[in-house]
Amino acid sequence: MAIHIDRGFTPRVSDPAHVLRQGAHDQILSVLMLAVGVLLLAVPMATQVGTKDAQVNELVVGLIVTFTAGMRLYRGAGVRSDAVVGVAGVWLIVSPFLLDAQNTGIHTADRVLSFAAGSILVALSVVSMLVWRSDRKRTRLAGDSQRDRQDGRHAGGQADHRGHETPS
């Protein structure tokens, strides 16, 4: 049995809920987006079924999603990356119908892959935006309440250990 003695070198997390939400936003959702992007890259190349227009479309969208998800993992995520992934998902949902309208034959497997991957990407981007928004709102509220407590202490009133003012 090993005993670990913390001598103050381990940084403490001031808001564990914020760290959890940020990890879910930046890490978990980004890995899922990356998996869909790699799927879009691999499946059309592996199957070689369908028209080249649909395969090139899925390849380009797969590259965009993979690059964006990689940047999310490396630098952290924001609203722009959520929007890029969401727009790519909407394009995947709409593109089989637009390519089919141009007298380009779309194989059924390509249509199913595009619709499924696009729906997943749109759902992931919406969830990511909601997590980001709730994290911003809660972080802002926590910052405001902390500033209010500090203002109460410095304004001449005395505050108890919870930050509430006590009558003098």
Side-chain angles (χ1 to χ4, degrees):
M1 181 169 137
I3 298 174
H4 176 72
I5 299 173
D6 183 17
R7 299 201 168 143
F9 298 120
T10 306
R12 299 286 181 228
V13 177
S14 61
D15 187 7
H18 166 68
V19 173
L20 182 65
R21 286 187 303 269
Q22 187 177 14
H25 184 257
D26 291 350
Q27 309 291 306
I28 297 170
L29 292 171
S30 297
V31 167
L32 293 173
M33 290 175 187
L34 184 66
V36 173
V38 169
L39 180 77
L40 284 169
L41 290 173
V43 170
M45 285 190 262
T47 60
Q48 295 292 318
V49 177
T51 61
K52 295 300 175 196
D53 292 339
Q55 290 179 355
V56 169
N57 180 45
E58 291 165 359
L59 178 76
V60 169
V61 172
L63 283 171
I64 291 169
V65 171
T66 302
F67 178 74
T68 304
M71 289 300 293
R72 285 174 61 103
L73 286 169
Y74 180 68
R75 299 185 66 187
V79 176
R80 282 186 226 138
S81 63
D82 294 337
V84 167
V85 171
V87 168
V90 169
W91 172 251
L92 277 175
I93 293 170
V94 173
S95 65
F97 303 108
L98 292 178
L99 291 176
D100 198 28
Q102 296 175 358
N103 295 328
T104 303
I106 299 292
H107 195 266
T108 305
D110 288 329
R111 184 173 287 153
V112 169
L113 175 66
S114 291
F115 187 75
S119 300
I120 291 170
L121 288 175
V122 168
L124 287 173
S125 67
V126 167
V127 168
S128 182
M129 284 184 189
L130 291 174
V131 169
W132 181 83
R133 183 174 178 229
S134 72
D135 184 47
R136 287 288 184 185
K137 187 177 2 175
R138 290 183 181 167
T139 304
R140 191 174 332 137
L141 289 175
D144 289 345
S145 66
Q146 186 178 10
R147 262 185 256 119
D148 290 343
R149 283 190 304 236
Q150 289 175 352
D151 290 344
R153 286 185 191 141
H154 296 300
Q158 293 197 0
D160 62 4
H161 68 283
R162 292 176 299 206
H164 300 295
E165 291 225 10
T166 57
S168 304

